[in-house]
Amino acid sequence: MPLEAVEKIWMNGELVDWDKAQVHVLTHALHYGSGVFEGIRAYKTERGAAVFRLTDHIKRLVRSAKLHYMELPYSVDEWVAATKQVIAANGLDACYIRPIAFRGYGEMGLYPLKAPVECAIAVWPWGAYLGEDGIKHGIRAKVSTIRSLDANSITPAAKACGQYLNSSLAKMEVTASGYDEAVMLNSHGFVTQGSGENIFWVRNGRLTTPPLSAGLLEGITRDTIMQIAAKLDIPAREADTTRSDLYIADEAFFTGTAAEVVPIRELDDHVIGAGEPGPVTRRIQDRFHKMVAGHDREFAHFLEHVK
Ligand code: PMP
């Protein structure tokens, strides 16, 4: 998706001009994918821009760094403050937020620990990742031949730069065949997640999502959906999921910060349910949109206001 430039990017403790936020071509992360990052959204509310579960996202960044032996030079509180600072500096009331910590210039080779760790936070206006139409009417997904990362290779528990080569392969493969998004399986054949989303399905009114042990990212939206389900008295569980569970589900949807809650209306050319977003998906979507817009008292604590 094309980028819409804004004025400032936070880089290593300072606000710099968008065009000046640059790195050397021998940056370690460019060659070896040695970085960790986050994807966060700020939403427009009556009290100005509010970042959805900002602290929880930054805590995940810290966990990703730990898994990759990376020492972050900033604390959770400092990342949180810097995120608010860069949103305010650009005068945005809604945006996507991309914090990243990566191994920089000065070392080459596969032992990365001596390379300096560089940090940046970029923000930009970003619409629905899988399209407004996808949110409203659902998308067509396909199971990719690319397997999910295994817990004993590049850990899927971290959100690290290099691992997204695997997601990109899946996304390119299914897009070339005319589908909107990939569903990925682990080496045992169980469903894990989308290329950049977690996945849920509904059968007989019960919500299911694959467990972390299947090898997937612990999504902040995934957790939010489980909390919404509890409030709405929708029974929900984590359970190993096969592709046929999805084919015969009444409803299915993807969740993620960029994508939000996106119904899946077809998988591998099997129509899911009635081929349109189902009632459980709709109730969850509604509650999610109310929550992020600041119209949900019970979940007000998820919004971290910029001012
Ligand atoms: N899985 C993968 C592989 C992702 O890249 C993302 C997006 N960060 C997610 C799941 C969803 O996570 P979240 O809800 O925290 O954005």
Side-chain angles (χ1 to χ4, degrees), residues 57 60 159 164 193 195-198 217 219-221 255-257:
H57 277 281
R60 187 172 67 186
K159 192 167 169 65
Y164 279 88
Q193 56 192 342
S195 70
E197 305 84 13
N198 292 114
L217 186 69
I220 309 279
T221 322
T255 66
T257 298

Side-chain angles (χ1 to χ4, degrees), residues 26-247:
L26 291 178
T27 293
H28 194 275
L30 184 60
H31 297 254
Y32 306 114
S34 50
V36 294
F37 67 101
E38 269 305 315
I40 316 175
R41 267 190 198 273
Y43 290 90
K44 185 177 175 175
T45 74
E46 279 151 17
R47 290 175 55 198
V51 187
F52 189 66
R53 303 191 66 171
L54 172 58
T55 303
D56 290 331
H57 277 281
I58 298 299
K59 284 182 177 164
R60 187 172 67 186
L61 181 75
V62 170
R63 294 198 297 275
S64 297
K66 177 171 184 181
L67 287 168
H68 285 279
Y69 304 87
M70 182 185 281
E71 275 184 40
L72 293 178
Y74 300 100
S75 66
V76 169
D77 288 349
E78 286 167 330
W79 279 100
V80 165
T83 302
K84 293 181 179 178
Q85 183 192 6
V86 68
I87 296 169
N90 287 293
L92 295 167
D93 55 14
C95 58
Y96 184 78
I97 304 158
R98 171 55 56 81
I100 184 166
F102 57 96
R103 302 198 193 270
Y105 170 85
E107 288 279 324
M108 272 296 175
L110 294 179
Y111 183 80
L113 297 191
K114 292 196 179 117
V117 173
E118 299 223 42
C119 301
I121 308 170
V123 297
W124 65 88
W126 220 20
Y129 177 65
L130 295 171
E132 278 301 331
D133 194 65
I135 289 183
K136 280 202 193 95
H137 303 296
I139 61 162
R140 296 175 62 242
K142 182 171 166 42
V143 172
S144 173
T145 64
I146 303 294
R147 289 291 168 264
S148 286
L149 296 168
D150 186 87
N152 294 312
S153 60
I154 302 176
T155 174
K159 192 167 169 65
C161 299
Q163 75 192 66
Y164 279 88
L165 280 174
N166 202 57
S167 284
S168 282
L169 280 176
K171 180 89 182 180
M172 290 188 285
E173 181 192 41
V174 304
T175 304
S177 306
Y179 297 85
D180 304 306
E181 185 53 291
V183 168
M184 305 191 65
L185 310 179
N186 63 24
S187 53
H188 303 289
F190 290 111
V191 173
T192 56
Q193 56 192 342
S195 70
E197 305 84 13
N198 292 114
I199 192 166
F200 286 83
W201 54 283
V202 179
R203 188 155 171 222
N204 298 329
R206 182 174 63 182
L207 191 62
T208 304
T209 194
L212 298 183
S213 56
L216 47 94
L217 186 69
E218 192 176 353
I220 309 279
T221 322
R222 176 181 180 273
D223 175 70
T224 305
I225 299 313
M226 291 305 252
Q227 295 198 38
I228 290 177
K231 285 274 188 241
L232 295 178
D233 288 326
I234 298 167
R237 61 171 185 162
E238 294 184 359
D240 275 332
T241 296
T242 60
R243 56 203 292 173
S244 28
D245 289 327
L246 297 175
Y247 295 160

